[in-house]
Amino acid sequence: LADGTIDPDVDIYHRLVKETARLKRLVNDLQELSQAEAGYLPIHTQAFDLRSLLEALVQKFSDQLMEEGPILQLNCPDYLPLVLADSERVEQVLINLLGNALRYTKEGSITVQAWRHLDQVLTAVIDTGQGIAAEDLPHVFERFWRSDRSRDRSSGGTGIGLAISRRLVELQGGTLEVESELGKGSTFRFSLPLA
């Protein structure tokens, strides 16, 4: 644009805005991951009702689904004990996991499941999507790693959402794990301590 090689037009400006937004998102994600890894990311733990957060998120994402897309459902007991965690950070983790499930599940179902296990509450996002190959599973929590390298960057995230999510769960005393089979779907499960 500056040297006149490309003529300015609306399409060029829209593409510049889109790329600028993507770079801003990447810088913000990198900064957040850096702070999380260094232990500087503020985590404000308190007792809160995870079930109500799960209900709200399932409703929010359900409202955005198309009729021909996957079915989104919540499988959770009526009573779930309070967890000791940062509700905003837990919401961030769940939004990332649900966003990934929706991105890779064109049909079938996505189930958000939660249950008590010993002194923890386990939460799982289970999808019937494309799944992850066995040789790729050890890499899913690495920064910038993507299971489908041919995907256009603009159609997905920054490639560090799972790295951030895992660190956020760890900072709250839990773990984040994945099980997956190519062509059959994935299960991302994390634990949080009881209040």
Side-chain angles (χ1 to χ4, degrees):
L1 284 171
D3 66 12
T5 306
I6 300 173
D7 291 329
D9 67 18
V10 174
D11 181 53
I12 292 290
Y13 289 121
H14 282 298
R15 289 180 7 205
L16 286 171
V17 167
K18 189 175 178 182
E19 281 302 302
T20 302
R22 187 182 69 77
L23 286 172
K24 180 181 176 187
R25 201 169 54 245
L26 177 60
V27 168
N28 289 341
D29 285 353
L30 279 171
Q31 184 177 23
E32 186 168 46
L33 180 59
S34 172
Q35 289 174 334
E37 288 176 339
Y40 294 130
L41 197 64
I43 300 290
H44 306 291
T45 59
Q46 61 183 16
F48 83 93
D49 179 14
L50 179 62
R51 190 186 197 324
S52 62
L53 174 61
L54 296 176
E55 287 174 346
L57 285 174
V58 167
Q59 183 62 53
K60 176 182 171 181
F61 277 85
S62 293
D63 292 345
Q64 299 172 11
L65 285 174
M66 302 291 190
E67 287 183 25
E68 67 275 359
I71 297 166
L72 180 57
Q73 55 198 0
L74 176 63
N75 180 359
C76 181
D78 290 336
Y79 171 74
L80 198 61
L82 299 178
V83 295
L84 185 62
D86 184 325
S87 61
E88 290 182 13
R89 298 302 184 182
V90 173
E91 181 176 7
Q92 183 179 353
V93 169
L94 284 163
I95 286 172
N96 183 52
L97 296 178
L98 282 166
N100 285 347
L102 287 167
R103 189 174 295 125
Y104 295 105
T105 308
K106 300 304 176 203
E107 58 185 17
S109 66
I110 298 168
T111 304
V112 178
Q113 192 172 9
W115 67 98
R116 179 182 181 158
H117 178 71
L118 303 173
D119 60 346
Q120 302 174 322
V121 171
L122 298 178
T123 304
V125 176
I126 306 160
D127 69 59
T128 60
Q130 69 186 48
I132 303 164
E135 64 270 15
D136 291 336
L137 278 175
H139 305 288
V140 297
F141 296 108
E142 293 175 9
R143 57 176 72 189
F144 302 119
W145 186 87
R146 299 174 73 100
S147 63
D148 186 349
R149 291 155 195 84
S150 66
R151 289 177 61 85
D152 181 338
R153 282 191 307 261
S154 64
S155 67
T158 58
I160 57 175
L162 288 174
I164 292 172
S165 294
R166 176 176 253 185
R167 190 64 186 128
L168 286 176
V169 169
E170 290 171 349
L171 287 170
Q172 296 176 83
T175 58
L176 174 59
E177 304 167 329
V178 61
E179 294 173 9
S180 187
E181 190 174 339
L182 200 58
K184 295 192 175 179
S186 302
T187 299
F188 284 86
R189 180 178 42 255
F190 67 92
S191 61
L192 293 171
L194 293 180

